[in-house]
Amino acid sequence: MMRKRRVWLAAALFVGLVAVSAYALKLFEPLPLDAAASSSRLVLDRDGRLLRAFTTPEGRWRLDARREDVSPTYLNLLFAFEDKRFNTHYGVDPFAFGRAALQAARHGKAISGGSTLTMQVARLLRGSPTRSIPAKFQQIADAIRLEWALSKDEILALYLKLAPYGGNLEGVRAASLAYFGKEPHRLSIAEAALLVAIPQSPETRRPDRGYASLVAGRNRVIRRAAAAGIIQEADARAAIASVAPRGRFDFRALAPHLSERLIARHPGVPVIATTIDRGLQEQAEAVARRNAEAFGEKISVAALIVRNRTGEVLAHVGSAGYFDGDRLGAIDMTGAIRSPGSALKPFIYGLAFEEGIAHPETLIDDRPVRFDTYAPVNFDNVFHGTVTVRSALQLSLNIPAVKVLNEVGPVRLAARFRDVGMPFAMPRNLTVALGGAGLTLENLTTLYAALARGGTLVPIRYEKEGGPVWGASEPPALLQPAAVWYVTDILRGAPVPPNVTPGQVAFKTGTSYGFRDAWAAGYDGEYTVAVWAGRADASAAPGLVGLRVAAPVMFELFAAIGPRRAAFGSPPPNLIGSRRNADLPPPLRVFREQRQETSGGTAEQALHIAFPPPNAEVELAKMEGGDGNAEQLPVALKAEGGALPLTWLVDGTPLASSPHRRDAFLKPRGPGFVQITVVDAEGRSDRTQIRLR
């Protein structure tokens, strides 16, 4: 019998030693710091302010926060209530443990805990229970290791990130946004006290569940802070009298379409900084939502605001409301391919100005015309007779635009867009002038921002870092500066909606066939704003006209930017600046369509530039003068065919030459690409591009 007892005793001792050893080893398990690695991914505006947060893969709202991200009031209340000696102890506060033990012995139950903030962080990392004795020993061991491994600020940051606030809310920043709709650095005394109290019992003190318990816990934090002299008695009474929230706010989702796009583009990146201005974004979304509701059923609005100089997008509105199912608000209409209506006409005229076949004061006929089987008509079915090119573009007349495109060539227009890197496909027919193409609001904004920059195209961008770098080269030119100036001067005089001051914004509207899309795009010296309105399902909406629908929204967005409009730049040199048709060179007074035969019916040799040949590289030469300075020698130009007199243009600017000769001389300003155009007395023209080096 004694032997049997000894065996059982030995076995019990062995099991006890194994258990103690196992527990001792468990106490020294590595800290699971990776449990805090997961955070909500954030999209920020240009100044670091939150636009949108996304839940973690586990479905939690968990936002990083540091000491400097929260109000000093909150930290003072937190330390006063949870851990007075946080900044001096080494993970465990023996004074707090002693106080807790004496209170428990005196009252027969736990009155206060002895856990430090470091121990609470250890518990949150392991997800262990709060009350068991083994768990406390584990927390003590983990807290000591935490203090050795991390700084006080790093430990505090873990608490601010992991503290539970009920439901799927973790961390003080997520709780502040959910319960108060604001960042934690702006907390009042009552709000800070509430956020100190909730983690003690997060599910029973949730504002949407346990209001009485929440208020009682908050007031206990306030009274203790007042007793410790942390806050004034008067402030404490006011905080206790304040009303606590009874629910939670939805998390803000500014620029929701753009945020989702960037999050998908950069998987695994925790924080994405954008070029968006949050204040302007809020206003732009409100403008789009309000106007869409006024426009009618299912109508949505999309808009972009861009800084001309850099191409940075300051506001991105993908729809009138992301959660508006009736308007299909989840679809990002800034990237939807739609017909631009008349919005491309400025670029057609710009090519004509650049090539020297038209001027803003050139006369052009707005009369019935047919191009094979294609017979365009004006939007209002009215013919205006002979008008200036200026009036034709300002009034958005269709027939003159098609005539000009016929001379410029749809292929040339498509090639110009392709050469500057625009990603849309451009049909090579005359319907392009009236919207027979497909492009996005982002494409159109990029094109108009190029006009605002004097012709150079820089892609619009949304991310704060990683903008285009051109190095020593210049960004590609959509149009030459002289042509851009003519276009801008015309668009500044376009008819404006009621209650809008004319002349401050150069803009153009567009309406697609069947009233499916309304457009407006405009610019001043600093910003470009583009607007689309329509139904996301591409169904027709009678009365959806660019000038009546999209243009007022565009001007309202300009007003949101500020009351003052930035001035346009100075005109380039050597413009034909006349506002009188009679003062123009004869070939530019009347728009002439190319003819294959003379009036006598005999064939005439076609006008063409004989020298320099197309795409030639011409070496610049200099001659030494008597004073030792080198003088740049001119480049000879030679034309053949056509009817005298000839007019030469270099980059759209007239070149001084004898009108009765077929040669001219160009005095170059330096190396680079040059476009040369020659126009004869009948309005026929030829053009070429060369490189001077």
Side-chain angles (χ1 to χ4, degrees):
M1 191 67 179
M2 288 294 294
R3 183 177 180 183
K4 191 173 183 180
R5 287 180 179 175
R6 291 194 191 101
V7 171
W8 278 107
L9 180 60
L13 287 173
F14 177 75
V15 170
L17 285 171
V18 170
V20 170
S21 300
Y23 181 69
L25 289 174
K26 179 177 173 58
L27 289 177
F28 294 98
E29 285 181 352
L31 283 165
L33 291 175
D34 57 346
S38 178
S39 299
S40 291
R41 299 180 67 191
L42 308 180
V43 179
L44 309 180
D45 86 335
R46 63 188 304 105
D47 297 318
R49 296 174 295 182
L50 183 65
L51 292 175
R52 188 176 181 187
F54 293 80
T55 57
T56 67
E58 302 81 23
R60 300 169 182 165
W61 294 107
R62 179 194 280 179
L63 280 66
D64 292 301
R66 300 163 298 174
R67 183 189 291 264
E68 56 268 28
D69 297 327
V70 299
S71 72
T73 299
Y74 168 81
L75 292 176
N76 291 336
L77 296 183
L78 177 68
F79 295 144
F81 196 81
E82 292 284 3
D83 194 348
K84 293 183 179 66
R85 286 169 284 277
F86 171 75
N87 292 308
T88 58
H89 65 60
Y90 296 97
V92 180
D93 187 350
F95 297 103
F97 268 114
R99 183 198 67 238
L102 289 174
Q103 288 176 340
R106 185 179 306 143
H107 297 279
K109 62 179 181 178
I111 300 299
S112 64
S115 293
T116 62
L117 288 176
T118 311
M119 292 174 62
Q120 293 182 49
V121 169
R123 174 178 61 81
L124 293 170
L125 287 171
R126 290 199 186 274
S128 58
T130 58
R131 300 293 183 182
S132 70
I133 298 298
K136 284 294 182 185
F137 279 113
Q138 181 71 66
Q139 290 164 27
I140 290 171
D142 286 344
I144 293 172
R145 288 205 297 277
L146 273 173
E147 293 282 348
W148 277 101
L150 304 176
S151 69
K152 288 290 185 181
D153 280 352
E154 290 172 328
I155 294 170
L156 179 61
L158 286 174
Y159 178 83
L160 298 178
K161 177 179 180 178
L162 299 176
Y165 282 92
N168 63 346
L169 294 177
E170 292 187 2
V172 68
R173 189 179 181 193
S176 182
L177 291 168
Y179 294 140
F180 308 119
K182 62 183 180 181
E183 295 284 356
H185 67 269
R186 298 168 50 208
L187 295 172
S188 67
I189 292 175
E191 292 165 344
L194 184 142
L195 295 186
V196 170
I198 292 178
Q200 299 165 17
S201 185
E203 292 305 320
T204 60
R205 289 182 177 173
R206 285 173 54 174
D208 56 347
R209 288 187 179 179
Y211 186 79
S213 175
L214 171 68
V215 171
R218 179 199 70 179
N219 293 347
R220 187 157 53 249
V221 173
I222 294 171
R223 291 189 183 98
R224 185 175 296 182
I230 302 297
I231 58 176
Q232 300 293 322
E233 285 292 342
D235 293 334
R237 288 193 297 271
I240 289 172
S242 65
V243 177
R246 289 183 177 272
R248 55 186 279 185
F249 292 90
D250 292 330
F251 272 78
R252 297 290 299 275
L254 288 171
H257 304 86
L258 175 62
S259 297
E260 287 189 349
R261 187 193 306 184
L262 296 178
I263 285 290
R265 182 184 299 172
H266 301 290
V269 177
V271 179
I272 299 173
T274 71
T275 60
I276 298 296
D277 181 302
R278 191 174 75 174
L280 190 56
Q281 179 71 29
E282 289 177 322
Q283 294 184 72
E285 290 186 12
V287 167
R289 182 169 54 252
R290 183 177 63 254
N291 281 279
E293 292 170 355
F295 293 153
E297 183 182 6
K298 296 183 180 180
I299 299 296
S300 189
V301 173
L304 291 170
I305 301 176
V306 173
R307 176 165 281 134
N308 298 333
R309 183 176 56 83
T310 60
E312 295 174 316
V313 177
L314 303 181
H316 174 285
V317 181
S319 71
Y322 183 80
F323 298 104
D324 191 335
D326 292 338
R327 303 177 195 276
L328 302 181
I331 299 176
D332 182 0
M333 296 306 298
T334 65
I337 298 176
R338 307 300 283 260
S339 165
S342 299
L344 293 181
K345 287 178 181 175
F347 305 96
I348 296 171
Y349 284 102
L351 282 179
F353 298 149
E354 185 177 288
E355 295 170 13
I357 61 176
H359 179 274
E361 307 310 320
T362 298
L363 297 178
I364 189 168
D365 283 338
D366 178 34
R367 306 180 191 278
V369 67
R370 180 176 293 275
F371 300 90
D372 293 330
T373 61
Y374 179 50
V377 295
N378 288 324
F379 182 78
D380 56 5
N381 291 312
V382 174
F383 300 104
H384 297 74
T386 301
V387 297
T388 63
V389 164
R390 179 184 300 276
S391 295
L393 180 52
Q394 288 175 346
L395 298 176
S396 197
L397 302 181
N398 289 342
I399 293 173
V402 174
K403 285 184 174 182
V404 172
L405 180 59
N406 187 51
E407 296 306 311
V408 169
V411 173
R412 191 172 186 84
L413 179 66
R416 182 61 60 90
F417 288 145
R418 183 185 65 247
D419 291 345
V420 297
M422 294 306 297
F424 53 83
M426 183 63 61
R428 300 181 179 186
N429 58 55
L430 297 179
T431 64
V432 170
L434 310 185
L439 71 163
T440 68
L441 183 63
E442 291 175 316
N443 299 151
L444 193 68
T445 306
T446 302
L447 292 175
Y448 275 80
L451 293 178
R453 271 191 297 273
T456 57
L457 188 144
V458 174
I460 62 173
R461 63 187 181 96
Y462 299 107
E463 296 180 55
K464 197 169 182 180
E465 302 297 333
V469 179
W470 300 104
S473 64
E474 290 293 325
L478 177 63
L479 290 171
Q480 295 296 330
V484 172
W485 179 261
Y486 289 143
V487 169
T488 299
D489 187 54
I490 293 172
L491 296 184
R492 288 176 65 183
V496 298
N499 303 317
V500 172
T501 303
Q504 295 185 334
V505 173
F507 79 104
K508 181 71 181 72
T509 60
T511 304
S512 68
Y513 177 77
F515 302 102
R516 288 173 169 81
D517 308 277
W519 304 80
Y523 53 94
D524 65 4
E526 189 170 358
Y527 302 101
T528 294
V529 178
V531 173
W532 168 90
R535 291 177 175 170
D537 62 4
S539 60
L544 193 74
V545 177
L547 185 60
R548 293 202 299 263
V549 175
V553 178
M554 182 197 71
F555 280 105
E556 193 171 347
L557 292 175
F558 268 113
I561 295 171
R564 300 174 66 89
R565 301 273 58 84
F568 295 94
S570 301
N574 301 322
L575 283 177
I576 305 176
S578 174
R579 290 266 180 165
R580 283 169 26 96
N581 176 270
D583 295 334
L584 296 178
L588 291 177
R589 293 174 186 169
V590 178
F591 185 78
R592 300 179 186 274
E593 299 177 58
Q594 296 282 2
R595 293 178 295 187
Q596 300 300 317
E597 294 184 350
T598 65
S599 57
T602 58
E604 182 177 280
Q605 183 182 2
L607 173 69
H608 73 280
I609 298 174
F611 184 84
N615 302 315
E617 292 194 0
V618 179
E619 191 81 30
L620 294 177
K622 293 185 179 182
M623 181 177 66
E624 290 289 339
D627 56 0
N629 295 323
E631 181 182 359
Q632 188 81 60
L633 293 177
V635 175
L637 309 178
K638 176 70 175 177
E640 294 180 350
L644 296 175
L646 301 182
T647 301
W648 293 86
L649 300 101
V650 177
D651 290 336
T653 302
L655 180 67
S657 63
S658 173
H660 300 290
R661 294 177 59 90
R662 297 186 183 276
D663 57 4
F665 294 92
L666 163 65
K667 188 170 183 180
R669 287 178 291 185
F673 287 96
V674 173
Q675 182 161 291
I676 301 169
T677 303
V678 63
V679 184
D680 74 356
E682 301 296 329
R684 291 168 293 200
S685 66
D686 188 31
R687 61 200 65 89
T688 187
Q689 181 172 280
I690 64 172
R691 182 186 178 192
L692 302 176
R693 59 185 181 86

